[in-house]
Amino acid sequence: MTGISVRDLWKEYGDQVVLERVSLDIAPRSFVALVGPSGCGKTTFLRMLLSEEVPSRGSITLDGKPLAPEPGPDRGVVFQRYSVFPHLTVLGNVLLGLELGRSRFWGRLFGPARAAARAEAAAMLEAVGLGHALDKYPAQLSGGMQQRLALAQALAAKPKVLLLDEPFGALDPGIRAEIHALMLDLWHSRPLTVVMVTHDLSEAFGLATRVIAFDRTRTRPEERLRYGATVTQDIEVWPKRVAGQPDKRIPQPNRPGRDDPATLDGPGRDDPAHAA
Amino acid sequence: MRLINRRPERGTWLLLAGLPFALAVGAYLVASGLRLAENPDDKLLPGLSTLGSALWRVAVEPDRRTGDILLWADTAASLGRLLVALGIASLSALLVGVAAGLVPHVRALLSPFVTAVCLVPPLAVLPILFIALGLGEASKVGLIVLGITPFLIRDLILRVDDLPRQQIIKAQTLGAGTWLVAIRVVVPQVLPRMVDAVRLSLGPAWLFLISAEAIAAESGLGYRIFLVRRFFAMDVILPYVAWITLLAFLMDWGLRKLQGKAFPWYEAARSGS
C-alpha cells in the first residue's frame, strides 16, 4: 500500500515563494482533493508529486522511499487537456500504456503478447464505457469520453498513485456527474491512492476522503512575494468513505438535500449525540 | 450582403479561378500575334503552331545526336536528383530535428550551429561543392540538401516544441524512456507536420536544382533551358517552364494526398486543438 509523506516542502521561483512549510501524510488508498483559489500552488504541488517540478526545499517520500527525480510508471496522471495521444486510436492509446512497459526497445508488442495486451486494453475500455469506440481517434470523441479514455490509459499501466489535475474541469455538469461515478468506482475497485486538484468544492467533497485547502496566509501587497501558500484546512470528509466499500447511502432518493427541510428521524452530523 | 459574407458557388468559383490563367494566355497570344505580324521570323514570342512543333520535337522525336527523347531524359535526370536530395534532406532533418527538439543537450550542441548554417546562402557554397565533390551528380544533390535541410531541421525543432508538454510527461508515466518517447510519441506526430515543411521547401529545392544544372550538367530540365537560351529558342523554353511548373504542382499535390492517406488522424487533431 502506498502512502505519501511530505515534509516541510517549499517551492520558490527566483524570489517568488509559491509554497512554504507544507507537511502532509497521505494514507494508502485515500482520495485526497486539493482545493484553493487560483495561484495558490495546488497545481505546483501536484507537479512536484509527479516529479515534473523539483521542490526548492523539503522532501517527498513514497512508501518511505524518496520520490524518483523524474516521472515514472509508479505515478499515473490525467491532465485537464492533452492527456491522450491524438495519433493513436482509443484502443491504441490504452495499448500504448501496456506496450511501453513491456517492450523496452520497440515499444510495440507482436503476436500472442499483443493479442493478450489488446484484450486487456479492450477490457479496460469496456470498464470505462468506451467499449463501442475502440477504433475512433480522440479528436472524434467528446470531452467527457476523452477523459474516460485518459483514465483508462493511466490505469492500464497499473500505477500505485493516480494524480489528477482538474481532470473534469472542462466538462458539462451532466457528463461530470457520470464521470464522477466512474471515478469513485475505479477508486473502489483498484489499489489506488488518488490525489486530485480541483477548484470545485462540491466535486472535492463528493469524491474525496479528505479535502486539503491551500491558501496564502499573508496577503498584504508587500508580503505577497516572500510568503507563499500553505495548507490552511485539512478536512476529513463525513460520512467517511472507505476504499473498496462503495457508499450505499448515496443513491437513497428520500435523503434530504442541503436546501431541503431537515428530517426528524435519526441523528444528523451536527447532533450533539453524534459529536459525543 | 457584405462582401465578406458572400461565397462563390461552384460554377462561379471555377470561372473566377480560371480567369487569371485565361487572361495570361490571351495576353501572350495577342502580343505574339502582333509581333509575328510585324516579323514572321520573330523568335521572342512564338505562336501556338511553333510551340506545338517544338514540343513535338523534344517530347516525341528522338534527338538526332544522342537518340534520346530529350524531354523525358531531362525529366528523369532532374527528378532523380530532386528525389534523392529530398529523401536525404528529409531523413537527416527528421533525425536531427527530433533529437534536438527532444533532448536538451543535443539542442545545445546543434541548434546554434544549424541556425548559423541556415544563414549561409547555399548558392555561395556551390563553387565549394563543385571543387570538393566534382561536377557530377553529388554536387547537385549536395546543393539541394544543403539548401533545404537546415530549414527542415529548424521547422522540425519548432514542431517538436509545439507538442504539449503533458504528452511527454504522460508517456513517461506510462513507462517510456527517451527512446520510446521519441519513436512512439514524437516521430509519429511530427511526420505529418514534416510533410508540410517538405511541401514548403519544394520551391527552394527546384530553385537549387535548376541553378546547379544551369551551371554544370549534361542533362536535366535546367540544363536544357539554359542550353537553348543561346539560340533564343523560346519555343523550347516556354514548354519546359510550363512542364517544370506542372511537375512541381504534382509533387505538392501528391504530398498533400499522402498526408491525408497516411495520417488520417491529423486533419481532425489539427483543427481540434
Side-chain angles (χ1 to χ4, degrees):
Chain A
M1 287 294 120
T2 307
I4 303 168
S5 173
V6 177
R7 285 286 160 270
D8 198 29
L9 195 73
W10 289 62
K11 180 67 191 176
E12 301 168 39
Y13 294 105
D15 281 342
Q16 169 93 52
V17 180
V18 178
L19 279 172
E20 61 175 64
R21 295 175 292 124
V22 177
S23 291
L24 280 175
D25 280 297
I26 295 174
R29 294 234 55 189
S30 52
F31 192 138
V32 175
L34 306 175
V35 298
S38 48
C40 70
K42 53 189 192 292
T43 295
T44 305
F45 182 72
L46 195 82
R47 286 203 183 129
M48 289 193 281
L49 290 183
L50 189 56
S51 302
E52 191 185 347
E53 303 252 5
V54 185
S56 307
R57 271 185 260 173
S59 67
I60 304 175
T61 55
L62 190 66
D63 278 342
K65 292 184 216 77
L67 208 59
E70 53 188 5
D74 51 344
R75 286 152 292 150
V77 66
V78 174
F79 297 104
Q80 184 170 10
R81 295 185 67 197
Y82 306 122
S83 272
V84 294
F85 300 105
H87 63 294
L88 296 171
T89 60
V90 165
L91 183 70
N93 262 285
V94 177
L95 200 54
L96 179 74
L98 302 172
E99 288 180 315
L100 289 176
R102 296 175 193 178
S103 166
R104 301 306 302 163
F105 183 75
W106 291 110
R108 283 176 195 280
L109 298 170
F110 303 97
R114 181 183 161 83
R118 194 186 182 284
E120 204 176 316
M124 190 68 225
L125 283 162
E126 198 64 53
V128 300
L130 283 176
H132 60 285
L134 297 184
D135 295 323
K136 290 196 166 150
Y137 285 103
Q140 296 168 290
L141 302 180
S142 67
M145 285 162 82
Q146 284 192 19
Q147 292 308 77
R148 282 169 188 262
L149 173 58
L151 278 172
Q153 184 186 44
L155 292 179
K158 300 205 170 57
K160 296 181 274 186
V161 178
L162 182 62
L163 304 171
L164 307 171
D165 188 1
E166 305 210 12
F168 317 125
L171 306 180
D172 295 335
I175 308 287
R176 269 177 112 158
E178 286 172 24
I179 205 167
H180 283 165
L182 170 67
M183 186 64 238
L184 275 180
D185 225 39
L186 294 171
W187 172 64
H188 281 305
S189 57
R190 283 151 215 274
L192 274 181
T193 306
V194 182
V195 180
M196 174 177 75
V197 164
T198 177
H199 56 256
D200 179 347
L201 283 178
S202 69
E203 179 174 273
F205 282 94
L207 292 178
T209 57
R210 183 178 170 194
V211 177
I212 293 172
F214 284 67
D215 204 355
R216 294 170 178 276
T217 50
R218 308 264 199 142
T219 52
R220 295 216 311 269
E222 70 274 21
E223 293 170 340
R224 287 199 73 92
L225 191 64
R226 295 303 296 156
Y227 288 88
T230 189
V231 174
T232 54
Q233 302 278 340
D234 188 343
I235 305 162
E236 288 288 332
V237 173
W238 192 97
K240 261 197 160 67
R241 281 196 184 92
V242 181
Q245 300 171 21
D247 189 347
K248 301 221 164 42
R249 282 165 299 179
I250 285 176
Q252 281 181 12
N254 47 10
R255 192 168 179 227
R258 57 168 294 176
D259 294 327
D260 293 336
T263 49
L264 294 173
D265 47 331
R269 64 168 288 188
D270 297 327
D271 285 350
H274 197 80
Chain B
M1 266 174 95
R2 293 182 196 96
L3 284 174
I4 50 169
N5 293 326
R6 293 173 60 170
R7 293 176 194 289
E9 284 172 27
R10 185 87 188 132
T12 324
W13 189 93
L14 282 174
L15 200 71
L16 286 173
L19 193 63
F21 291 98
L23 279 179
V25 172
Y28 175 84
L29 289 180
V30 169
S32 156
L34 287 176
R35 281 188 77 100
L36 288 172
E38 219 167 273
N39 170 15
D41 290 333
D42 181 65
K43 297 190 85 172
L44 207 57
L45 299 179
L48 280 183
S49 58
T50 326
L51 284 175
S53 63
L55 191 59
W56 180 266
R57 210 171 60 241
V58 293
V60 180
E61 292 174 1
D63 184 50
R64 262 171 297 171
R65 189 168 61 85
T66 59
D68 291 334
I69 299 177
L70 288 180
L71 182 66
W72 306 120
D74 287 339
T75 303
S78 285
L79 281 186
R81 289 166 190 147
L82 197 63
L83 293 181
V84 168
L86 283 173
I88 294 175
S90 307
L91 256 173
S92 50
L94 185 67
L95 230 63
V96 176
V98 168
L102 203 53
V103 183
H105 278 85
V106 178
R107 175 180 302 218
L109 179 73
L110 291 179
S111 181
F113 181 71
V114 170
T115 308
V117 170
C118 208
L119 295 172
V120 177
L123 277 178
V125 185
L126 188 57
I128 303 176
L129 288 176
F130 280 147
I131 294 168
L133 303 175
L135 296 178
E137 297 301 311
S139 57
K140 296 175 201 66
V141 170
L143 177 71
I144 303 173
V145 170
L146 207 67
I148 64 175
T149 309
F151 160 75
L152 287 178
I153 291 176
R154 291 182 80 188
D155 189 75
L156 272 174
I157 293 178
L158 291 178
R159 298 288 86 81
V160 175
D161 282 345
D162 281 348
L163 293 180
R165 185 74 200 149
Q166 287 96 321
Q167 287 191 13
I168 313 288
I169 301 274
K170 177 88 184 200
Q172 294 178 65
T173 68
L174 297 178
T178 304
W179 167 248
L180 286 181
V181 168
I183 65 164
R184 293 289 334 253
V185 176
V186 175
V187 168
Q189 289 197 70
V190 296
L191 274 179
R193 295 167 170 91
M194 190 174 85
V195 172
D196 280 333
V198 171
R199 283 176 63 196
L200 287 179
S201 63
L202 280 182
W206 275 100
L207 170 71
F208 296 131
L209 174 72
I210 291 174
S211 311
E213 287 179 345
I215 294 170
E218 280 132 32
S219 64
L221 297 163
Y223 159 76
R224 189 71 51 200
I225 53 180
F226 274 83
L227 179 75
V228 300
R229 178 189 62 101
R230 298 176 197 165
F231 321 117
F232 283 107
M234 283 291 271
D235 53 348
V236 175
I237 296 179
L238 287 174
Y240 260 71
V241 171
W243 175 240
I244 291 171
T245 311
L246 181 68
L247 287 176
F249 171 80
L250 285 178
M251 287 173 76
D252 186 71
W253 179 82
L255 281 173
R256 208 180 52 201
K257 287 284 155 205
L258 173 84
Q259 189 184 45
K261 276 265 180 285
F263 312 103
W265 55 271
Y266 181 57
E267 195 54 49
R270 178 163 55 175
S271 55
S273 60

